[in-house]
Amino acid sequence: SQELEQSPQSLIVQEGKNLTINCTSSKTLYGLYWYKQKYGEGLIFLMMLQKGGEEKSHEKITAKLDEKKQQSSLHITASQPSHAGIYLCGADDTGNQFYFGTGTSLTVIP
Amino acid sequence: NAGVTQTPKFQVLKTGQSMTLQCAQDMNHEYMSWYRQDPGMGLRLIHYSVGAGITDQGEVPNGYNVSRSTTEDFPLRLLSAAPSQTSVYFCASSYSITYGYTFGSGTRLTVV
């Protein structure tokens, strides 16, 4: 089965600071998804990356897929309290099975 | 191997039928939740539980019931299946809401 490792497991940053979350796969990534969740709420789809070197941005969040390294990174610029939550990466192995990382808990201190 | 086990992996139902999706974890996690994933909509929370005997509704609870009689099991019941419930369902568990999640492999449900 495909495994996704996320790092760090938790992150506490001061408002205004930049941060990066990594997601590493044990197998080739055909589709990599990033989600965000707040307590008691459904996961919010952020973006999907499909090709090596692809980079997408959503407001102050940028994600990049490095297919050669089987890794994706999520970068938040000038973090705000609204960015706090749990970030999950998920992957599609083309077998109609989805796999998810364990998540990264982000706290932003005002 | 320790983890979250979901059964069945695939299921086809006729409109109006009822069924239960099973979810079990052996990690002694208190927090368990059910999600559905639909194309273009991402994952949405159906119900969640913060411990045995405690459940609460998520974002899209209508048409689904849950119970948590033990720490290990968190079944999801469809009372009267509708085509709108065709989706992929994921069960997840966690030590706590701020800890990492462990997801099951999913159940692909088709309602015809």
Side-chain angles (χ1 to χ4, degrees):
Chain A
S1 63
Q2 183 151 327
E3 294 182 354
L4 294 174
E5 292 186 6
Q6 273 185 250
S7 62
Q9 184 175 299
S10 64
L11 201 53
I12 302 174
V13 300
Q14 202 77 34
E15 184 176 1
K17 295 294 185 182
N18 301 337
L19 64 104
T20 299
I21 299 169
N22 293 306
C23 177
T24 302
S25 170
S26 60
K27 295 183 178 181
T28 301
L29 292 167
Y30 291 97
L32 190 287
Y33 305 75
W34 282 102
Y35 295 90
K36 175 189 174 184
Q37 186 189 32
K38 291 189 174 181
Y39 179 76
E41 299 178 9
L43 271 70
I44 300 169
F45 171 72
L46 296 177
M47 57 194 81
M48 183 181 78
L49 305 167
Q50 288 184 300
K51 296 183 178 180
E54 183 176 11
E55 183 174 309
K56 288 185 178 179
S57 293
H58 173 70
E59 296 178 353
K60 293 187 177 181
I61 301 174
T62 300
K64 184 174 182 179
L65 177 62
D66 181 347
E67 198 164 51
K68 189 174 182 179
K69 293 184 177 180
Q70 301 176 185
Q71 185 177 54
S72 178
S73 59
L74 184 83
H75 184 77
I76 298 177
T77 303
S79 58
Q80 301 169 353
S82 60
H83 286 130
I86 298 174
Y87 289 82
L88 281 158
C89 65
D92 178 357
D93 71 349
T94 73
N96 293 324
Q97 292 295 319
F98 291 92
Y99 304 88
F100 297 91
T102 53
T104 296
S105 176
L106 173 63
T107 302
V108 181
I109 301 172
Chain B
N1 292 333
V4 178
T5 302
Q6 279 185 245
T7 56
K9 292 188 182 299
F10 301 94
Q11 182 71 51
V12 178
L13 289 178
K14 293 182 179 180
T15 298
Q17 286 185 316
S18 63
M19 80 159 293
T20 299
L21 306 185
Q22 300 293 341
C23 177
Q25 54 91 10
D26 58 3
M27 297 170 285
N28 202 33
H29 285 171
E30 291 293 329
Y31 189 86
M32 296 185 75
S33 55
W34 275 103
Y35 295 90
R36 58 177 290 174
Q37 184 175 45
D38 302 295
M41 300 189 75
L43 285 165
R44 291 181 292 170
L45 183 64
I46 304 171
H47 285 283
Y48 65 97
S49 169
V50 297
I54 306 171
T55 63
D56 204 348
Q57 296 180 350
E59 185 182 356
V60 288
N62 292 339
Y64 307 93
N65 274 357
V66 292
S67 61
R68 186 89 180 274
S69 57
T70 66
T71 299
E72 294 77 21
D73 300 300
F74 191 43
L76 178 73
R77 283 183 288 276
L78 280 72
L79 308 174
S80 178
S84 61
Q85 293 179 306
T86 294
S87 185
V88 180
Y89 291 85
F90 291 95
C91 177
S93 74
S94 175
Y95 177 73
S96 75
I97 188 61
T98 59
Y99 214 69
Y101 283 99
T102 300
F103 280 83
S105 57
T107 295
R108 185 174 293 276
L109 176 67
T110 301
V111 182
V112 297

